[in-house]
Amino acid sequence: MSYFGLNPRVRQSGLGLAQYGRISKHGRSHARAMLVEAAWAAAKAPGPLRAFFLRIRNKRGHQVAAVAVARKLAVLIWHLLTKEQDYFWAGPALVAAKQRQLALKAGAPGERGVGRRGSAYAYNVKELRNSEKAAAENAERAYELMVRHWRSRGPKRRTDATNEERL
């Protein structure tokens, strides 16, 4: 997180309590800005990231929620890259269409008139798009149900030396 400057500032001296503040902004500002823009897009699309955004927005506001989603996106991207996995909630038809568009922009030959449909054609089928959207909405509802059962905790207990002195 510190590479992007999305980690919170920490003020602490000795054994005293750590005070956490806003994000540090020490890091790649352009990459941080791109992650926040991606977070705004993820907050609009149905799925677990939208549910996370809405939960944080209700507590802390939309700006803080966008930065929280950006941080979650950075962690998610890191895990996907290091484990060499695909995102579980990605729509296969949308991914195929985007990969085909990138290939065409990179100079891949067009296949018009060949008489067969490629993998990106599935995105043009409305039923498939709607089923992928419904799956993402189900994931969003599943996240909301999981979070609903969490219990709110009271204030954090002190774990420093001054706590032991009080006993």
Side-chain angles (χ1 to χ4, degrees), residues 97-115:
K98 287 185 178 185
Q99 287 177 341
R100 181 62 182 151
Q101 288 173 354
L102 283 173
L104 289 173
K105 286 183 181 178
E111 296 179 359
R112 291 188 179 214
V114 176

Side-chain angles (χ1 to χ4, degrees), residues 69-110:
V69 172
R71 181 182 169 92
K72 187 172 276 289
L73 275 174
V75 171
L76 181 67
I77 290 167
W78 183 83
H79 281 286
L80 291 176
L81 289 175
T82 56
K83 296 176 183 176
E84 296 179 2
Q85 295 177 347
D86 292 331
Y87 182 55
F88 184 75
W89 300 110
L94 178 62
V95 170
K98 287 185 178 185
Q99 287 177 341
R100 181 62 182 151
Q101 288 173 354
L102 283 173
L104 289 173
K105 286 183 181 178

